[in-house]
């Protein structure tokens, strides 16, 4: 059973204001909870269904700090953002802000607003071996449950740093930006370490940031679509970046 | 005003059964409706808000076949799948099934289930100049309003053909499949025309289809994520495909 008080607490963590206040966030679904449990995040409470418990009890074996609560599927789905959750939900502690290491290549985002996009971007960064991404201060919060859910577990490996992007661009050695009028990405001889900047879903990179970049880069179009989704562009950039570095 | 009868009719088109029966589908939002109006789709009825009408009345100028109805934002949002629609909604006719042209390269999908993924895939196909994609018979319907909405207007240029994938693979000249254990995509010398096959969101390409392929191709991982989203993979494949062909 989840008490009314607990239920209110868990639901409150859907809002950034309460996540900041409580320093806690929620993780939902089997894949994400399993990744969380094998990471260095501190977990307070784990709500599990009988089905999940019977197949995964080893994940809390010997963890005396952890409260494990048996609940029904219906209860889980009621307190989380998932329409259906037949597995687990965890309440975990938000980590301290990570620092940026400019000796490694970084992905940066100017005003990414859609939680699904940021989650997918974190998954892509994890696939392509970027352990830190930088988001402008007005981007969506990476502890938003919809972001966490879209990462498919990659939130445990990729740190998101919120910072003033203009300042980050100034500090980076070599900066590229994804625009619709840059150089063809297939002809770019990417440097490493680099900072690759992506813009807002509707308006792209802010003009004052574009001015500061070393190079604008475009994904060439072969048809008539006006643009690509920001997560899709991120993947195409990461793939071209890794391909070029492999050869050099 | 939208009458109760009209409202019921529009809402019924959210279900595939009624779309088939009525041979109609709905298109929502400014961008998608504008693309629809400049395409060769037959449009029956256009529901527009005053704001949309005053800035876009030229789109139905001289089209006497078309019924244009002035409605409120609230009415639009009530009958469609968009939470907020401040612009327009159209009821249009479903096109006859397109045919496959094996002299051109094709993207094919084995059991793509998520409407957002199929919509994003259609947008990517349009960007990379593929005018036809093939989906297995049990894939999500391309006239599903969530698919149409995610295409950002590209549904008017990319035809989706539903077919038995095993048969399509047999008929294609050269077939590649996206798997986790294929050859590194950065080393593939893609042929044109080719068929590139992608699998289901959870289970990938069915084993009996993998056996039939000329070549399995993987996107190399540089980090620890287990997989990439199918739409993201599609974009990375399209980009590598176009890059290789440009050089040859």
């Amino acid at each position: 059973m989840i008490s009314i008080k607990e239920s209110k607490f868990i639901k409150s963590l859907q809002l950034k204001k309460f996540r900041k206040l409580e320093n806690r966030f929620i993780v939902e679904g089997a894949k994400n909870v399993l990744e969380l449990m094998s990471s260095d995040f501190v977990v307070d409470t784990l709500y599990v269904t009988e089905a999940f418990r019977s197949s995964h009890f080893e994940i809390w074996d010997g963890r005396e700090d952890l409260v494990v609560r048996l609940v029904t599927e219906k209860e889980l789905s009621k307190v989380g953002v998932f329409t259906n959750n037949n597995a687990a939900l965890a309440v975990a502690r938000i980590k301290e802000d990570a620092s940026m290491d400019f000796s490694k290549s970084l992905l940066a985002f100017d005003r990414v607003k859609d939680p699904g996009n940021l989650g997918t971007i974190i998954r892509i960064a994890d696939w392509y071996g970027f352990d830190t991404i930088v988001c402008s201060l007005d981007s969506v919060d990476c502890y938003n449950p919809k972001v966490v859910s879209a990462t498919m577990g990659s939130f445990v490996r990729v740190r998101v740093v919120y910072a003033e992007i203009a300042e980050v661009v100034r500090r980076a050695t070599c900066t590229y930006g994804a625009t619709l009028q840059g150089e063809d990405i297939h002809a770019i001889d990417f440097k490493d370490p680099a900072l690759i900047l992506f813009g807002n879903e509707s308006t792209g990179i802010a003009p004052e940031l574009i001015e500061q970049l070393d190079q604008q880069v475009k994904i060439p179009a072969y048809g008539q679509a006006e643009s690509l989704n920001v997560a899709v562009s991120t993947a195409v950039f990461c793939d071209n970046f890794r391909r070029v570095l492999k050869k050099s």
Side-chain angles (χ1 to χ4, degrees), chain A:
Chain A
M1 259 270 298
I2 303 180
S3 70
I4 293 175
K5 201 178 152 196
E6 272 179 303
S7 161
K8 271 190 181 163
F9 176 70
I10 298 169
K11 280 187 186 167
S12 78
L13 299 178
Q14 291 182 17
L15 295 177
K16 186 174 171 180
K17 184 172 77 173
F18 293 107
R19 288 195 295 274
K20 291 271 168 206
L21 196 69
E22 303 287 352
N23 204 36
R24 303 284 190 284
F25 72 111
I26 59 172
V27 178
E28 287 172 89
K31 168 76 180 159
N32 279 313
V33 167
L34 290 172
E35 290 271 10
L36 176 77
M37 295 302 295
S38 58
S39 76
D40 60 356
F41 274 93
V42 178
V43 181
D44 290 339
T45 316
L46 191 58
Y47 299 90
V48 294
T49 60
E50 180 53 43
F52 186 83
R53 186 181 76 121
S54 58
S55 38
H56 296 292
F57 58 86
E58 76 288 352
I59 64 172
W60 59 81
D61 221 27
R63 290 182 63 159
E64 282 166 20
D65 53 319
L66 184 71
V67 178
V68 183
R69 301 282 306 275
L70 199 62
V71 294
T72 65
E73 230 176 285
K74 208 174 148 190
E75 283 177 305
L76 270 195
S77 310
K78 229 172 173 174
V79 295
V81 295
F82 277 26
T83 319
N84 293 301
N85 181 352
N86 60 5
L89 181 149
V91 176
R93 305 234 183 121
I94 288 177
K95 281 192 182 175
E96 278 183 26
D97 288 351
S99 58
M100 280 173 282
D101 175 0
F102 287 97
S103 73
K104 291 194 284 188
S105 283
L106 296 167
L107 304 175
F109 297 85
D110 177 27
R111 293 165 295 137
V112 58
K113 294 291 186 185
D114 181 85
N117 282 344
L118 182 57
T120 306
I121 286 166
I122 291 170
R123 185 176 172 193
I124 292 164
D126 188 24
W127 180 273
Y128 282 105
F130 293 86
D131 61 11
T132 310
I133 71 171
V134 187
C135 288
S136 62
L137 297 165
D138 50 358
S139 294
V140 59
D141 177 31
C142 65
Y143 290 106
N144 177 315
K146 288 181 188 164
V147 174
V148 172
S149 134
T151 69
M152 298 293 279
S154 293
F155 73 95
V156 305
R157 284 177 295 271
V158 178
R159 299 300 301 270
V160 181
V161 180
Y162 289 84
E164 198 69 64
I165 295 293
E167 171 64 18
V168 174
V169 170
R170 262 192 298 278
R171 288 176 63 194
T173 320
C174 178
T175 56
Y176 302 97
T179 68
L180 291 169
Q181 57 285 317
E183 282 284 299
D184 182 341
I185 195 167
H186 298 153
I188 301 289
D189 191 23
F190 284 107
K191 304 281 175 292
D192 183 33
L195 179 103
I196 311 176
L197 179 62
F198 300 87
N200 172 264
E201 287 92 346
S202 311
T203 57
I205 303 174
E208 61 274 21
L209 289 173
I210 290 185
E211 278 174 25
Q212 281 190 56
L213 297 170
D214 292 319
Q215 185 152 32
Q216 291 184 53
V217 181
K218 74 160 184 228
I219 301 173
Y222 299 82
Q224 292 176 72
E226 265 178 30
S227 65
L228 286 170
N229 165 284
V230 62
V232 164
S233 299
T234 303
V236 172
F237 267 77
C238 289
D239 191 74
N240 277 275
F241 182 77
R242 290 293 176 212
R243 181 187 183 120
V244 168
L245 292 189
K246 195 153 59 175
K247 282 186 186 154
S248 59

